[in-house]
Amino acid sequence: MKTLLFLTAFFIISSFSSFSQIAKRTLQPGDIYHLQTLSDPNVSPDGAWVAYTVSTLDSAKDRKNSNIWMVSMDGKQAVQLTNSPDNESSPRWSPDGKYLSFISGRQGEIDQVWLLDRRGGEGVKLTDTKGDLDGYSWSPDSRKIVLAMKDPKDTSKNKPPKPYVINKFRFKQDISGYQYDTSRTHLYLFDVATKKITQQLTAGRYSEADPAWSPDGTKIAFVSNRTEDPDRNENTDIWIVDTTKGSALKKLTTWNGGDSDPQWSPDGKTIAYVRTTSDATYEMYDQTSLCIINATGGEPKPLSLSLDRPVSNPEWSADGKSIAVLVSDDRQRFVASYDAAKGTMKKIAGGDRSFSAVKAAPKGAWIAFMSEPQSPPALYALEGTNVRRLTSLQNTFLDSVALATVEKFTSKSKDGTLVSGLIYYPPSMPKQKLPLIFYIHGGPTAQDELSFDLTRQMFAAHGYAVAAVNYRGSLGRGIAFSRTISGNWGNKEVMDILGAADYLVAQGIADSAKMAISGWSYGGILTDYTIASDTRFKVASSGAGVAAPLSLYGVDQYINQYINEIGLPWKDNNIEKYLKLSYPFLHADRIKTPTQFMVGEKDFNVPAAGSEQMYQALRSLDIPTELIIYPGQFHGFTRPGFIKDRFERYFAWFDKYLKAGKQ
């Protein structure tokens, strides 16, 4: 009898478990409205709370909305602090702990700083500035705020439009458009009590960014490119200005590359920052390293140069003895700390996952966002070797869907180069002979990490295995690996993609007769290069790509890259280099792959012309093709309805060629 009861109970439990697994559904394009994006954490002065921003997509209004939340350091209480139809961002605690400030452009106004009193009540507008805010920071005594604000513009209504008069070398930029606006971003001191600007700290024809107060409140460090023509290089430096009226600016760093993200040590004697590895004024494939410098000047001390990995997000420990950073390393991003005196590194938290936005917390702990392949970023406390979760906003939704499992793989390219990749397996499908989509990352100076990737998860949910390839040019494998493709686009990267395809077919994972390729930005560019090099892919979708770089000279925003990597088209036979790099367009007759082209109408990053040219070429050759242009969208889409539509069009296009006959 006991045996019968045990078997019955086992059957019921097993059946319930099976039912629970079956009950989980797969992701659908409409699920973009259920996912939330967390960003910009800020720890309260008493260490009891962490404020952060939560962004959601509103299907009714077809736009993104962001609000301010906070969670207790023990993770037991989560409170939504704002809930307006307007976006709120950049939460910052006043150092005395009385207020939580944020930026919002409520009721159609330009962005202003608002205050929430910790004792309760609605948000109150603090500033009433005429120029757009690029950032702000509280003074240590909580009496002042430094504003990084653009020069006010003439906002008079009912004036007839004027022509854009442009004199800048780099005259186009995605989102902001044509660079005819001559206004600059300068630093201002704002008095919290009187609600007035009391002093303009910087002026002139240069802009300033990232202001950071010294602990004693007498100085502000900032970043600025004050070369003769900042448009022609990326030579930013760290500068310091005394808050005393009439004080001269002091240049702290002299590196020809980029210096950025200054962070004062708690005692005010040292500034930590990141700088490019190369001393060149411009290099696309550079990576940043951690440095410290005496706040009074002198020779900087590089701390992470020998690591040969990109380092970012410097954050001092409360005792001033170490500096936490994020390190991008071969499909991972881990948290490490550097001893400020010895220069030695210690890993704080790592593994097959990705961390971001590290901040110091009480008792030597840290807080950071952490993401894994099946988990979107959530806030965690890093305490010794323990990683403790603080937020759980998306748990209910995530528990209802079956997600792809993700594994690492390493493939060998034709020239013997070892290349790192990730493979996403569709839920509840065997890992054999799968229809496979290569979804190629952009950049190229980026890397696919072991973090939550909605696009690849969405493809996998639709029944496709998805491959990510960190081709040469990617970050995470050292600067030499990134520099390999400089001025030689569409060669070694394609070799790496094809090597990964060979590997996945040989392993029995991919069905060689059902492979596709896609990507956005440089991923779209590599899609064009790949289908012009090899006919194995049965279908392709190229997003915001270009296949004739010469035709984009002066049309996109990458003029410095063209000049530094390839050269001026009319000098030194450089035209031959441009023509060689334009082989997908100039040899479009080699392409046999049905290809979909997508792009945002207002994309100035990789303008629509790049997609239009390839569409026209394939249409002229009677290769199956289609062109989708999304009205009003930039390089990154902001309209949720279009993000959903893009997924649906991906599926329809790929299914047509990879699932023909299947219903």
Side-chain angles (χ1 to χ4, degrees), residues 113-251:
V113 178
W114 291 65
L115 289 185
L116 283 170
D117 193 315
R118 289 197 70 181
R119 293 169 296 184
E122 293 292 323
V124 176
K125 188 171 72 170
L126 179 64
T127 64
D128 189 19
T129 60
K130 306 304 179 186
D132 293 328
L133 286 180
D134 284 343
Y136 74 106
S137 179
W138 285 89
S139 66
D141 62 6
S142 300
R143 296 179 180 178
K144 296 182 178 66
I145 290 175
V146 59
L147 304 175
M149 184 176 70
K150 286 187 177 179
D151 297 330
K153 291 184 287 188
D154 183 0
T155 57
S156 303
K157 296 182 179 179
N158 301 320
K159 281 191 172 184
K162 295 181 179 180
Y164 302 152
V165 180
I166 299 172
N167 296 296
K168 299 187 70 176
F169 178 73
R170 193 169 60 207
F171 69 95
K172 298 182 80 171
Q173 188 71 33
D174 196 36
I175 301 177
S176 58
Y178 287 105
Q179 302 298 288
Y180 60 89
D181 184 2
T182 59
S183 64
R184 299 291 183 265
T185 298
H186 296 306
L187 305 182
Y188 299 80
L189 287 185
F190 181 88
D191 186 276
V192 176
T194 63
K195 297 185 178 181
K196 292 181 178 179
I197 290 175
T198 59
Q199 187 179 345
Q200 182 171 348
L201 295 171
T202 60
R205 68 187 187 95
Y206 300 106
S207 289
E208 296 80 40
D210 299 335
W213 289 86
S214 63
D216 63 4
T218 63
K219 299 176 180 64
I220 294 172
F222 62 90
V223 176
S224 183
N225 182 339
R226 303 177 99 78
T227 58
E228 182 61 27
D229 188 351
D231 277 352
R232 293 178 182 265
N233 61 73
E234 296 186 355
N235 181 202
T236 53
D237 283 296
I238 310 297
W239 294 71
I240 291 179
V241 60
D242 197 294
T243 54
T244 305
K245 286 187 177 181
S247 297
L249 306 182
K250 179 179 179 179
K251 186 179 181 181

Side-chain angles (χ1 to χ4, degrees), residues 329-487:
D329 179 35
D330 195 10
R331 296 168 289 192
Q332 303 175 353
R333 198 183 323 163
F334 64 83
V335 183
S337 69
Y338 275 88
D339 186 293
K342 300 177 182 178
T344 53
M345 187 193 84
K346 178 180 69 174
K347 186 179 286 190
I348 297 174
D352 285 345
R353 45 195 178 178
S354 178
F355 290 88
S356 60
V358 179
K359 297 290 182 182
K363 300 178 182 179
W366 306 89
I367 60 105
F369 290 120
M370 191 268 281
S371 174
E372 294 176 299
Q374 294 187 320
S375 302
L379 195 61
Y380 286 78
L382 315 180
E383 300 160 327
T385 59
N386 184 44
V387 178
R388 179 171 56 85
R389 186 164 183 160
L390 299 179
T391 60
S392 56
L393 290 176
Q394 310 194 82
N395 283 14
T396 301
F397 168 68
L398 291 171
D399 288 344
S400 70
V401 293
L403 295 171
T405 55
V406 182
E407 295 178 1
K408 297 186 289 186
F409 71 88
T410 302
S411 56
K412 183 181 287 188
S413 300
K414 186 171 62 175
D415 63 358
T417 301
L418 295 178
V419 175
S420 300
L422 300 171
I423 180 75
Y424 289 67
Y425 293 107
S428 305
M429 290 180 67
K431 299 179 180 180
Q432 297 175 333
K433 298 284 284 185
L434 292 164
L436 175 71
I437 297 173
F438 278 84
Y439 193 80
I440 310 302
H441 74 70
T445 50
Q447 72 160 347
D448 285 314
E449 298 179 346
L450 286 148
S451 59
F452 187 79
D453 187 302
L454 179 61
T455 298
R456 294 188 177 94
Q457 285 285 355
M458 199 72 78
F459 282 145
H462 198 67
Y464 293 108
V466 190
V469 182
N470 284 324
Y471 51 84
R472 275 171 281 188
S474 303
L475 295 178
R477 293 278 301 280
I479 195 165
F481 189 86
S482 295
R483 284 175 173 165
T484 303
I485 68 167
S486 180

Side-chain angles (χ1 to χ4, degrees), residues 32-33 57 61-64 173-177 520 544 598-609 611-612 628-646:
I32 63 168
Y33 300 112
L57 299 181
K61 296 181 179 178
D62 203 15
R63 68 182 185 91
K64 183 177 76 171
Q173 188 71 33
D174 196 36
I175 301 177
S176 58
W520 199 266
M598 295 184 177
V599 68
E601 178 193 27
K602 293 188 175 181
D603 190 339
F604 271 15
N605 187 314
V606 186
S611 298
E612 292 168 348
I628 302 102
I629 297 178
Y630 287 91
Q633 297 304 285
F634 304 110
H635 196 59
F637 288 9
T638 56
R639 187 170 173 180
F642 285 158
I643 297 172
K644 177 175 177 286
D645 180 88
R646 181 168 54 182

Side-chain angles (χ1 to χ4, degrees), residues 483-523:
R483 284 175 173 165
T484 303
I485 68 167
S486 180
N488 185 20
W489 313 328
N491 178 13
K492 294 176 180 176
E493 317 98 292
V494 173
M495 195 186 302
D496 296 341
I497 293 168
L498 297 180
D502 290 338
Y503 172 83
L504 294 171
V505 170
Q507 294 297 308
I509 296 169
D511 184 340
S512 62
K514 295 181 179 180
M515 290 198 301
I517 186 166
S518 182
W520 199 266
S521 193
Y522 200 74

